[in-house]
Amino acid sequence: YDYYQPEAYIPSTDTYIEKDSSINDEIERLSVLYSYPQFALKTLVKDFSLERAEKIIKATNEKTCLSFYNANGKEYLKNINVEFEETPFENVFLAKNFIRNSDYDKGLYTYQALGSVAICDVVEGGETLLDCCSAPGGKSIRLSHKFDKVYSWDIHEHRVSLIEEYKNRMNRLNIETAVKDSKEYDERYKDFFSAVLCDAPCSGIGVVRDNPDIMLNRNEQDVLSLNKEQLSILKTVSKYVKVGGYLYYSTCSIFNSENIEIIKAFMSDIKGFEICE
């Protein structure tokens, strides 16, 4: 800021004085009220309606999601007097005011977003799984209990190191990591995997309560660029699925443009797949 010209940073109040009932004015009001980017709010209104969009941006996330692997989570949380609620998923709980302890380092439990757990829940087990954009590795860890072997790729070396640390802490030695760009086709893996999970790079607009910097650092052009990358990755890794295997697509976004629209574009261009319920 140029502190010698403070008048340059005094916003006009005209917009807020002359308020009417139009959608645009309501979007502007909610954007200011909840410190939520207008482009994202407009997209939510288009995808879901104004009423539901407001419920989405008001949502809070006060509880920690814990996945237990080497302990009975319910008994564990009771024994340390932590308030919790059960989820639809086995040994996964939402805990209030939970403080990490040494059992985390022993691999008794780990942190994983409930949405991430839900994705893993719908994945069918099998022999081999590719988790193609896998860092920091939560899905690979969970799915390593469903598959004989999991291949975990990420484009960044430092993020692959995070997966390595994660798998060692949880003692999941059936996970093999690699630094790979999933947009670049590798002939060695053609028709190789029982299942491929493409949890694609995205705007992250569905997890802004955990990552509030997203609201400052994302814009409409970012989403358009991500759409191209999402479709490119999905098309490439689809070639790695065996006949009769499964291809899974997910994001941390709730924009239709990053989810169902990508799937529709994929289905119109790539033959040999059908959508499963």
Side-chain angles (χ1 to χ4, degrees):
Y1 291 106
D2 183 350
Y3 290 102
Y4 296 98
Q5 297 182 20
E7 66 277 9
Y9 306 103
I10 299 173
S12 167
T13 59
D14 295 347
T15 303
Y16 307 107
I17 292 171
E18 298 179 13
K19 183 183 180 305
D20 60 34
S21 60
S22 73
I23 289 290
N24 285 339
D25 282 351
E26 187 64 5
I27 286 173
E28 187 168 7
R29 183 185 73 82
L30 293 175
S31 174
V32 173
L33 181 62
Y34 296 108
S35 298
Y36 205 89
Q38 280 199 37
F39 91 90
L41 186 50
K42 286 178 180 177
T43 304
L44 292 177
V45 170
K46 176 174 67 71
D47 289 351
F48 298 110
S49 81
L50 181 63
E51 181 182 5
R52 189 170 178 200
E54 183 173 6
K55 288 180 179 179
I56 289 170
I57 65 176
K58 283 171 63 176
T60 58
N61 188 16
E62 298 177 345
K63 295 181 180 178
T64 303
C65 187
L66 299 169
S67 292
F68 288 83
Y69 289 97
N70 299 306
N72 182 313
K74 184 185 291 189
E75 295 301 319
Y76 184 92
L77 294 169
K78 283 181 179 178
N79 289 338
I80 60 174
N81 296 316
V82 168
E83 182 182 339
F84 68 91
E85 64 180 86
E86 297 184 52
T87 74
F89 311 109
E90 183 179 359
N91 230 5
V92 179
F93 304 88
L94 295 173
K96 193 170 184 178
N97 300 323
F98 181 83
I99 299 173
R100 197 180 91 177
N101 56 30
S102 60
D103 288 332
Y104 172 86
D105 300 310
K106 297 174 185 175
L108 265 68
Y109 63 83
T110 193
Y111 299 103
Q112 187 174 5
L114 193 61
S116 176
V117 173
I119 290 164
C120 295
D121 190 66
V122 301
V123 174
E124 298 281 347
E127 294 178 356
T128 52
L129 168 77
L130 170 62
D131 187 359
C132 69
C133 305
S134 61
K139 295 182 189 69
S140 288
I141 297 297
R142 192 163 189 86
L143 291 171
S144 70
H145 294 266
K146 286 187 171 185
F147 288 85
D148 296 334
K149 188 163 186 179
V150 173
Y151 292 73
S152 297
W153 297 353
D154 198 272
I155 192 172
H156 300 294
E157 186 172 355
H158 71 281
R159 287 173 64 79
V160 172
S161 296
L162 293 176
I163 306 170
E164 279 289 325
E165 292 173 9
Y166 204 161
K167 81 167 192 180
N168 290 332
R169 179 172 65 83
M170 302 303 293
N171 196 32
R172 300 309 301 164
L173 304 183
N174 62 332
I175 297 174
E176 180 179 308
T177 63
V179 179
K180 289 184 73 68
D181 183 351
S182 293
K183 294 190 298 295
E184 296 181 1
Y185 177 63
D186 189 333
E187 180 69 27
R188 293 176 297 172
Y189 295 102
K190 185 177 187 300
D191 301 328
F192 184 83
F193 294 101
S194 309
V196 171
L197 170 60
C198 179
D199 188 59
C202 69
S203 67
I205 208 70
V207 291
V208 292
R209 289 294 168 255
D210 293 327
N211 305 277
D213 58 297
I214 289 170
M215 291 193 283
L216 297 174
N217 297 325
R218 285 280 187 258
N219 58 53
E220 196 165 6
Q221 192 58 46
D222 290 336
V223 176
L224 294 174
S225 298
L226 284 163
N227 290 159
K228 294 177 182 177
E229 185 171 12
Q230 289 155 355
L231 186 56
S232 174
I233 293 173
L234 187 60
K235 286 182 176 181
T236 300
V237 300
S238 70
K239 299 170 185 175
Y240 303 150
V241 183
K242 290 179 180 179
V243 173
Y246 288 89
L247 175 62
Y248 300 90
Y249 177 76
S250 63
T251 72
C252 294
S253 172
I254 51 175
F255 289 162
N256 284 345
S257 65
E258 296 186 82
N259 292 303
I260 191 62
E261 296 304 326
I262 297 297
I263 294 169
K264 287 178 179 178
F266 172 83
M267 294 296 290
S268 69
D269 291 345
I270 304 296
K271 306 307 176 186
F273 287 86
E274 61 182 44
I275 294 178
C276 301
E277 290 296 330

